[in-house]
Amino acid sequence: MSAKKVLVTGGTGFIGSHTIVELINAGYTPIIVDDLSNSTPQIIDQIQKITGVKPAFFKFDLCDAKSTNEFISQNTDIKRVIHFAAYKSVGESVQNPLKYYRNNLYSLVNLLGALSEQPVNFVFSSSCTVYGEPEQLPVTEEAPVKIAESPYGNTKQISEEILLDTTRANAKLKVTSLRYFNPVGAHSSALIGELPIGVPQNLVPYITQAAIGKRGDIVVHGNDYNTPDGTCIRDYIHVVDLAKAHIAALKSMEKDSAENRFKVYNIGTGKGSSVLEVINAFEEATGVKANYKIGPRRAGDVEQIFGKVVKAEKELLWKAELDLPIMMSSAWAWENYIKQNPM
Ligand code: WQD
């Protein structure tokens, strides 16, 4: 009998690995499927160091329908899925859209097709990028999904449509789509964290790599926006808080027999922080200087977005608890760990 088995696709990634830790802490038995295209298997050893449990791991590409069908047919007792596996670089998706449409959509369609015979509670890793530049702030789940700013964001929009249609056709499927804001930080053990490949595109890993001397000064992408200090505003959320939201989503689906089998939640803190506020929070939390210079705006950036998060608080009984200083100090501790222990 499956001891609360959960299939976690993309489970060796940044958010996936933190979610595996929280699943184990909550008494679930996670099973990782990952093609390791954007992560390293060493992360599994790190998870074992944190939890004492070495999760089962299967390496294959969900875009390969044969491997996906074989795996699911050998695991017909899987009733819970958390689907992280996807490419996620906004900039790269603009340069190479077909790579993103193929990978992010084929993998989802293959997975759903393979699972169609068994009852499944499915948590989907979505994104606030589906909102584009919101008309109202904080943005609510009812806000209109806007034309995506990038092929990456469009794959998230299309994936949500695929999931909605599939729940309508398949009464055995329940879906909770979690629209993440900006995940940052690292586990308090500093044994897992964000492992960007190449020059980080995201703000916080760039800050920590610049501060440790791995990169040049931070370039702030524009300070002429219509915001208090002229720099863009985002809703940064600690990756451990985000990981815990996935467990809350599973628990909610396990007890919820509501007819509505496709639900969407904003997963953020509800608080906006500007680029300069994040840099300042890093310096205050670590005592380390983070030098920056102002550069041109970055194509595709929205001016500001932060989420209304009361729906997740009320229905998932989940609320972010960790603040910006802890996000910064934990990201810095992880940067120092990987300097001593390269992965
Ligand atoms: C944040 C702000 C940049 C780097 C990310 C993910 C996306 C989605 C949402 C999950 C922006 C500025 C950045 C730098 C800078 N997450 N910046 N200098 O663009 O909000 O999107 O979170 O789905 O997948 O990409 O995050 O960290 O790239 O940028 O000034 O060196 O920091 O312009 O205003 P973004 P980000």
Side-chain angles (χ1 to χ4, degrees):
M1 183 55 193
S2 71
K4 296 174 70 177
K5 261 185 180 180
V6 185
L7 167 59
V8 183
T9 71
T12 61
F14 173 39
I15 302 164
S17 55
H18 286 82
T19 303
I20 296 286
V21 167
E22 298 309 325
L23 283 167
I24 293 168
N25 291 345
Y28 288 96
T29 304
I31 300 169
I32 299 174
V33 164
D34 203 307
D35 66 359
L36 297 179
S37 60
N38 192 21
S39 57
T40 164
Q42 280 174 271
I43 288 295
I44 295 170
D45 301 328
Q46 302 296 97
I47 290 169
Q48 186 173 17
K49 285 179 196 162
I50 296 170
T51 64
V53 172
K54 183 166 189 170
F57 167 58
F58 298 86
K59 180 183 181 296
F60 67 88
D61 182 351
L62 290 167
C63 289
D64 174 349
K66 186 169 175 296
S67 308
T68 305
N69 289 330
E70 266 170 21
F71 176 80
I72 296 297
S73 63
Q74 287 152 16
N75 291 276
T76 52
D77 58 344
I78 285 177
K79 296 184 173 32
R80 304 172 187 87
V81 177
I82 303 177
H83 182 49
F84 291 110
Y87 296 149
K88 62 168 188 176
S89 165
V90 171
E92 185 191 34
S93 76
V94 173
Q95 306 305 321
N96 193 345
L98 291 180
K99 175 181 175 183
Y100 275 68
Y101 286 115
R102 180 185 174 280
N103 183 65
N104 293 7
L105 301 181
Y106 278 27
S107 51
L108 176 65
V109 169
N110 283 344
L111 183 59
L112 289 173
L115 289 165
S116 60
E117 298 312 313
Q118 54 213 66
V120 167
N121 290 345
F122 192 103
V123 181
F124 176 62
S125 167
S126 190
S127 164
C128 64
T129 44
V130 303
Y131 297 118
E133 183 88 54
E135 270 125 37
Q136 275 192 313
L137 286 169
V139 66
T140 73
E141 290 86 350
E142 289 65 47
V145 168
K146 307 273 286 294
I147 299 281
E149 303 279 326
S150 68
Y152 159 79
N154 202 25
T155 65
K156 292 301 180 183
Q157 290 180 1
I158 297 168
S159 295
E160 286 194 350
E161 290 166 9
I162 291 170
L163 286 159
L164 173 59
D165 287 345
T166 311
T167 56
R168 287 175 172 159
N170 174 359
K172 297 193 293 293
L173 178 65
K174 260 193 228 177
V175 172
T176 299
S177 184
L178 301 181
R179 289 175 179 171
Y180 307 160
F181 285 74
N182 287 53
V184 296
H187 189 263
S188 56
S189 64
L191 292 172
I192 53 174
E194 194 163 6
L195 263 179
I197 293 176
V199 178
Q201 297 303 305
N202 294 136
L203 178 63
V204 173
Y206 194 96
I207 291 174
T208 57
Q209 288 194 12
I212 208 157
K214 212 172 158 183
R215 305 283 171 206
D217 290 355
I218 302 155
V219 175
V220 173
H221 297 319
N223 69 343
D224 57 352
Y225 287 96
N226 183 21
T227 61
D229 66 15
T231 65
C232 291
I233 290 172
R234 296 288 185 276
D235 182 337
Y236 296 93
I237 175 170
H238 196 292
V239 65
V240 171
D241 276 330
L242 175 58
K244 289 178 177 174
H246 294 77
I247 285 77
L250 285 177
K251 288 184 173 162
S252 174
M253 284 193 280
E254 277 151 16
K255 66 172 192 283
D256 177 8
S257 56
E259 250 323 287
N260 173 4
R261 286 180 286 104
F262 178 80
K263 294 185 177 178
V264 174
Y265 296 93
N266 285 341
I267 301 299
T269 63
K271 182 181 176 313
S273 301
S274 74
V275 175
L276 294 181
E277 284 171 334
V278 171
I279 293 173
N280 185 48
F282 173 82
E283 292 184 332
E284 287 197 356
T286 63
V288 175
K289 191 89 185 81
N291 296 316
Y292 69 87
K293 54 191 180 228
I294 303 295
R297 290 185 173 196
R298 179 173 72 173
D301 276 340
V302 298
E303 180 169 89
Q304 52 180 315
I305 183 166
F306 50 94
K308 192 158 186 72
V309 292
V310 289
K311 187 180 175 191
E313 288 171 20
K314 259 176 42 194
E315 297 183 18
L316 301 183
L317 309 180
W318 169 90
K319 185 174 168 56
E321 294 165 355
L322 303 171
D323 61 13
L324 199 54
I326 296 175
M327 294 179 215
M328 294 301 109
S329 57
S330 61
W332 182 235
W334 163 246
E335 192 64 59
N336 282 277
Y337 176 83
I338 46 178
K339 181 175 182 181
Q340 304 304 324
N341 308 273
M343 280 190 203

